[in-house]
Amino acid sequence: MSDQINDKLRDSRDESPRYEREEEKMSVGRYIATRIPTLKPPMHKVANPFKLIALLNFQQWMFFLVGFLGWSWDAFDFFTVSLTVEELAKQFGKANSQITWGITLVLMFRSVGSVIFGIAADRYGRKWPFVVNNILFIILELGTGFCQTYKQFLACRALFGIAMGGLYGNAAATALEDCPEAARGIISGMLQQGYAFGYLLAAAFARGLVNTTSHGWRPLYWFGACPPVLIIIFRLCLPETASYRERDAVRKANGSVTNTFLSEGRVALKKHWLLLIYLVLLMAGFNFMSHGSQDLYPTMIQNQYGFSPNAVTVTQVVANLGAMTGGTVIGYSSQIFGRRFSIIFISIIGGALIYPYTFVGSKKIMAAAFFEQFCVQGAWGVIPIHLMELSPGSFRTFVVGTSYQLGNLVSSASSTIESTIGERFPLPPLGKTKRYNYGKVICIFMGCVFIYVIILALIGPEKLGHRFGVAHDNDLADAVGKNTVSAVVHRREAMGHDDVENGSSDGDEKGGVRREAMA
């Protein structure tokens, strides 16, 4: 059975649309009846991860790298405020809670950015919206570093949220659209952990730049504006993805590119509105999972268990190393066991680890932090490619980015909810410091979140191995007609353009490796 599934994924270019059309026509009752049977792992052959990575050609690696760097620096810029709350509060004469409004505004305005830049990237290509995103990063990080008033600070962070919201979908599309099918899982996991990598960079540079000069906290923001210059140059040296170029060719062949794009939008909205709602609900659960397990955690171990600031930092670093490891491992595993099964399995393990994660009072909690974030971010490692495979082909950037950011918006109050409830469970004070049982609240909160994510993953769809080329895009065929799509595909093949599904041909040797990995 495993070989048959892989043969279909590899060879049936004309059959894939037929299977998807059958799924679209499936009744609600029939769909519900298939949720548990389809959860059975396909058990694809365990490919050597190094062979999978070797499937990417040079251009595909560059696409991954620029997407990873953009996503990492997105995280760096976001965490600059988290790491300088006390310094900003002193600078502007405000309470810490007022400064954290800068974080809240970023989360609120991210959805605006995901809509604007997502539509722009799907209409005009991945390249220039990505460049504009990073130009805004430069301007707004510099602007934050030169803020003199609290209102200026809030304005800069609100605008920064718009820029930040536009990057995730574009980074995912750039890194994964042209990725060889067999390598999608591991590359997805590696891409997602750019966020944890960005946090580690922010923590390291904050230690070296904050309060080490007469300018206090400002050098961290000035420095944050510099690397995007290099990322912009890097992206300008690369072309559009092959997947977008192929889609753009179909739009041009159909006449008006804009009218075709609008037609694709009408088809996607009519056919997939329920899927879009599901993806937002799914991403709300995932963002509750990450924010609920991370945002209040440093406060918990410092306030409840008396960790020193250095011990808190070390614990956070260990947790993020676990996150980076888990994202890559589970992303890779999802190619073998399926996306939904991998999410559900690692969520169950994560749920079992909640108790030691929140109730171990010694420094041994670092081990629990490593493995809990291994599970949390392990589930997240599946998300970029899972969203890409489920999204309508013409609106991948918009759907991936907007579902992620709307989920982020819904979950943005996680730490506020946990801290407010936690204050109802006071502990004996340590000197003059009031203490609260945050661990109990995080434990209960995360238990509910894991159950929610498991249920959503169970009832949701999955399109493991879905082909990204226009030849397999039913929506595009409905919008422009099968003949137009076929004519463009045949013309591009005749001209020797790279195959979107497998990247450029690198000779028989790499083709043999690809076939072996997929077998």
Side-chain angles (χ1 to χ4, degrees), residues 96-312:
N96 287 357
S97 59
Q98 291 175 291
I99 296 300
T100 57
W101 264 103
I103 300 173
T104 303
L105 285 173
V106 169
L107 296 174
M108 290 173 62
F109 280 89
R110 274 180 170 187
S111 300
V112 178
S114 67
V115 172
I116 295 172
F117 285 98
I119 292 175
D122 287 323
R123 167 60 180 85
Y124 299 105
R126 320 310 188 199
K127 186 173 185 175
W128 291 106
F130 185 92
V131 170
V132 172
N133 258 164
N134 280 276
I135 291 174
L136 290 176
F137 283 173
I138 295 169
I139 295 171
L140 295 169
E141 277 293 270
L142 283 175
T144 305
F146 284 107
C147 283
Q148 299 300 318
T149 67
Y150 178 63
K151 289 184 178 179
Q152 290 174 356
F153 167 74
L154 291 182
C156 278
R157 299 319 289 178
L159 293 173
F160 187 82
I162 296 176
M164 178 173 285
L167 192 81
Y168 182 78
N170 201 330
T174 301
L176 294 170
E177 267 189 332
D178 292 353
C179 181
E181 183 182 318
R184 286 179 186 174
I186 191 170
I187 296 300
S188 172
M190 292 166 63
L191 172 69
Q192 181 62 37
Q193 297 322 306
Y195 210 69
F197 181 64
Y199 172 82
L200 291 179
L201 290 177
F205 280 102
R207 299 281 287 185
L209 295 174
V210 176
N211 294 329
T212 57
T213 70
S214 60
H215 298 291
W217 54 271
R218 299 180 189 274
L220 180 64
Y221 292 82
W222 296 337
F223 171 76
C226 297
V229 175
L230 301 177
I231 296 173
I232 289 171
I233 295 172
F234 187 5
R235 186 65 186 94
L236 289 173
C237 292
L238 298 174
E240 289 289 355
T241 63
S243 180
Y244 175 79
R245 294 198 304 269
E246 183 183 48
R247 190 170 299 276
D248 191 51
V250 173
R251 290 171 179 169
K252 290 176 179 177
N254 194 52
S256 171
V257 175
T258 299
N259 288 341
T260 302
F261 180 71
L262 293 174
S263 296
E264 293 172 70
R266 286 191 289 270
V267 171
L269 187 60
K270 179 181 179 180
K271 294 173 63 176
H272 303 296
W273 64 270
L274 188 59
L275 173 65
L276 301 182
I277 294 173
Y278 166 77
L279 291 179
V280 173
L281 294 175
L282 179 67
M283 295 316 299
F286 267 84
N287 279 288
F288 270 120
M289 189 163 63
S290 57
H291 288 297
S293 66
Q294 296 168 0
D295 291 0
L296 198 64
Y297 198 69
T299 303
M300 184 200 81
I301 57 179
Q302 186 170 17
N303 176 272
Q304 184 173 341
Y305 296 127
F307 277 40
S308 68
N310 281 338
V312 172

Side-chain angles (χ1 to χ4, degrees), residues 3-41:
D3 291 339
Q4 292 173 358
I5 292 174
N6 284 310
D7 288 342
K8 289 176 183 177
L9 290 174
R10 185 172 64 249
D11 300 324
S12 304
R13 296 182 62 93
D14 296 327
E15 292 186 7
S16 179
R18 177 170 63 83
Y19 291 134
E20 289 182 17
R21 286 191 184 277
E22 288 176 357
E23 183 178 293
E24 290 168 6
K25 296 177 182 178
M26 192 180 294
S27 66
V28 174
R30 173 59 181 161
Y31 177 81
I32 293 174
T34 62
R35 291 308 81 202
I36 292 179
T38 56
L39 196 62
K40 181 180 179 181

